[in-house]
Every structure is written in C-alpha cells, then in structure tokens.
Amino acid sequence: MDFGLALSNLFSPIVLAFALGLIATFLRSDLKFPNELYTAISIYLLLAIGLKGGYKLSISHLEDFIKPAVAALLLGTAIPLLAFSFLRKFSSLSLFDCAAIAAHYGSVSAVTFAGAQSFQDNLAANSLISQGTLGGVYEGYLPGLLAIMEVPAIIIGVFLAKVGGSLPILGHKKFKVTADTLGKESNSPNESLALKALFIELLAGKGSILLLGGMVIGFLGGKGGWAQVSPFFDLPFKGILTLFLLEAGLVTGRRIKDFKSVGIFLIGFGIVFPVLMGILGIWIGKISGLSVGGAMIFGTLAASASYIAAPAACRVAIPEANPTYSLTLSLAVTFPFNITVGIPLYHQISIILFQLG
C-alpha cells in the first residue's frame, strides 16, 4: 500500500472535518447542525452527483455503460445474500438482525462514493498520474451505478427477513417459518400492499429521486446545460462535502457508545466484510470494462454501507431488528474505516489487480 497516498487522504479536508466532528462530540461540544441545514446539504450532494453523472453519461458511449450496469445490479443482489448467509452461519444474531445488516451492507453510501471521487480527483489535481501513480481518471457514468445499487439490496433484505430462515442455503441454523415469524397477516393482501408501498417509497425516496432525476436532467441538458449549473454544482462540491463530513463525524461520535452492544465479532465484520466486497467489486469492475479509477470507485461502492436509506426502510419493514447493530456498524465502523483507510486501500488494490492483467 502506498502510505504516502494514505497519509494524503488522512490529511485531506473531508477526513479532517470528519475527525473534527468526532473530537467535538468527545469534548461534549454544543456544535450541532440544524436539521434544515443537514437536509439542504444532503439534497445538494445527491443532486450534484446525479447532475454530473447525467452530463458525463450524455457525452459517453452508452454501450460502454451496459456491462457495468449489469455488473452493478448483480453485485447489489449478491452482497446482501453473502452478508446474510455469513451472519446466519457464524453469528448468534436473530434472522431479523441478519437481514437488516445485509440490507445495509448491500445498499450503498453516496457520501463514501463522493469521497472516492474526491480522492481520484485529488490524484489528477496533484499530477500524481504523471509521477507513475495510476488512477485519477474514471468514467463519468459511475453515479448511474450508485443509483442501480441503492435499492435492490434493501428489497432483498426485507425479503430475507420474511422467508430467509426457510432457505437452508443461506445458513445452517434451523428457523421455522410460522405465521408469528412472518406476522399475523403474512399471507394476507395487507402484507403484499405493505411490501408494495415499501418498494414505491424506496423508488420515490429522496435519494432515488435526486440521483435518478438529476441524472435525467444532466443527460438531457448535455454539455450546454452542465455549463449553466456547474459553477454551483461542481466547484463548491468539495466544500459542501466537507461540511457534510463534519456533521457525519458528530453523528458517528454520538453512536460510539453503542460499541459495547455491537460486540467485537460485528466490529470485525464491519471492517473485513467491506474489504472483501471492495476487492470483489474492483475485480468485477475490471472485467466489466471500467478503468483503474472507475474500478476503484466501483469497489468502494461495493464496500460501502448505507446509513440513510437502509435504516429508514428497515425501521418500517423489519421492526423486529435492533437498529443498534445495523446502524452502528454502518455508520460508526464501516463508514469511518472506508473514509480514512479503505479508499486509499481500494486504490492500491485496483492498481495491483490491473497490473496482474
């Protein structure tokens, strides 16, 4: 691993802002973001990612997008199944907790994605490519892969919570599916309506609407449209991302106390499993035609865990699950690891895999 790049990432403004949020929490500072400001920042980031991705897609060859899109759909389906199977086999968690964690780790983090993009942009800005370091250039349609991977895993997680115990291939533990485990109305029209409402809510949720809608706007606007809005959605992006990471540090600091409930085994899972999925994502990105930088960002997506969309959905669809496990893992373990250590690690792994041919 290139420790120079790792240190450079650790001392980047977005990582330091995250650290500042943690420190402020430990010092019991009264620093707090108003809910309205947090909402505005998250809307800005998601729409900016979508707009830029749509513009980049408009100047790309659409046939180049097909293989990575299929790869993203397959990976977004496989990761929650792998996570669920592993947790059912090796942990003492309930079926519902395993399903909720699988949904979190199968879905993705837009902020981690933005951090990976920023890392690659910094490589190019610092002319590290000319010094022999690969990366810094990546496909513009990658936000499309982010959008593709966000929802399916949550749907799969909910499905696993309902019937996962009756599928032996997903774990050796015996789990008898009864009316009680599925809910009193598990086979009733109300259950189907509830799942349908959840699916609609996920597609119409803030993240999906802003990412997909932004991509459509960016694609239809093309180069001319992007030129009109880029002074607001491109140049200030890293600054706004830094503010968001400060808020994320504050939130993470408030969840550190939940570590005792999570346990050593799950903390290890929150680090090792993302790294393995990151390697898998980089390899799949490579064979689907992505560049070194693109495969690294795709691997980072595979390694990330949702802490916005998935928690909200699981709270409604899997109320039996304990959010302390899934939310603390994704937000207080995996997210800090990826932002500080994971991103430069995935960059180095991407270089090695591409050099191996």
Side-chain angles (χ1 to χ4, degrees):
M1 181 173 176
D2 190 329
F3 290 101
L5 282 177
L7 286 174
S8 175
N9 183 65
L10 284 174
F11 289 107
S12 66
I14 62 172
V15 174
L16 292 176
F18 179 81
L20 177 60
L22 286 175
I23 294 170
T25 304
F26 296 153
L27 296 177
R28 299 186 179 181
S29 168
D30 60 355
L31 176 62
K32 183 180 180 181
F33 275 50
N35 290 334
E36 294 79 7
L37 178 59
Y38 170 80
T39 300
I41 290 176
S42 61
I43 289 174
Y44 170 88
L45 291 175
L46 290 167
L47 184 58
I49 291 172
L51 284 170
K52 189 170 185 179
Y55 155 62
K56 292 289 187 179
L57 185 60
S58 73
I59 61 175
S60 303
H61 297 292
L62 291 182
E63 58 269 22
D64 295 336
F65 178 68
I66 296 176
K67 283 186 178 180
V70 172
L73 184 60
L74 293 176
L75 192 60
T77 302
I79 290 176
L81 294 175
L82 291 171
F84 181 83
S85 178
F86 177 84
L87 291 171
R88 286 290 290 162
K89 195 173 185 68
F90 295 108
S91 79
S92 59
L93 294 172
S94 71
L95 176 139
F96 303 109
D97 287 323
C98 291
I101 293 173
H104 283 65
Y105 279 80
S107 190
V108 291
S109 165
V111 178
T112 308
F113 172 83
Q117 278 190 317
S118 178
F119 179 88
Q120 291 292 335
D121 290 340
N122 288 339
L123 288 182
N126 295 330
S127 301
L128 291 176
I129 301 175
S130 62
Q131 299 173 20
T133 300
L134 298 175
V137 178
Y138 53 88
E139 290 74 10
Y141 53 71
L142 288 172
L145 307 186
L146 165 66
I148 289 172
M149 294 178 70
E150 185 174 32
V151 173
I154 300 176
I155 300 297
I156 291 172
V158 175
F159 172 78
L160 291 172
K162 304 299 179 182
V163 303
S166 63
L167 304 175
I169 193 173
L170 295 178
H172 73 285
K173 296 181 180 179
K174 301 294 183 181
F175 187 90
K176 186 177 181 181
V177 180
T178 65
D180 290 333
T181 60
L182 290 178
K184 293 181 179 179
E185 299 177 326
S186 59
N187 296 316
S188 71
N190 289 339
E191 177 75 14
S192 299
L193 289 173
L195 291 176
K196 181 179 179 180
L198 172 66
F199 183 73
I200 294 173
E201 181 180 344
L202 287 171
L203 289 180
K206 177 176 67 177
S208 299
I209 287 292
L210 290 171
L211 282 171
L212 295 175
M215 287 194 68
V216 171
I217 294 171
F219 181 80
L220 295 178
K223 186 175 181 179
W226 176 245
Q228 295 176 36
V229 299
S230 61
F232 181 72
F233 283 106
D234 191 17
L235 295 177
F237 182 85
K238 290 183 181 179
I240 302 298
L241 178 61
T242 301
L243 282 175
F244 190 92
L245 266 293
L246 174 60
E247 162 66 6
L250 293 169
V251 175
T252 302
R254 291 194 286 269
R255 301 220 54 109
I256 292 293
K257 63 180 183 295
D258 294 332
F259 270 7
K260 292 181 180 179
S261 301
V262 170
I264 298 298
F265 173 82
L266 284 183
I267 292 175
F269 172 86
I271 294 174
V272 176
F273 185 78
V275 171
L276 294 177
M277 294 304 99
I279 295 172
L280 178 63
I282 293 168
W283 178 70
I284 291 177
K286 177 179 180 295
I287 64 177
S288 67
L290 294 176
S291 63
V292 175
M296 172 267 183
I297 295 176
F298 187 55
T300 302
L301 272 178
S304 69
S306 172
Y307 59 86
I308 297 176
C314 289
R315 187 164 58 245
V316 174
I318 317 177
E320 303 88 346
N322 184 351
T324 298
Y325 297 133
S326 53
L327 184 56
T328 302
L329 265 182
S330 61
L331 180 58
V333 179
T334 300
F335 177 71
F337 172 80
N338 278 333
I339 288 294
T340 56
V341 178
I343 288 175
L345 175 63
Y346 306 140
H347 170 74
Q348 194 65 36
I349 292 172
S350 184
I351 291 175
I352 294 172
L353 287 181
F354 273 77
Q355 288 176 337
L356 290 176

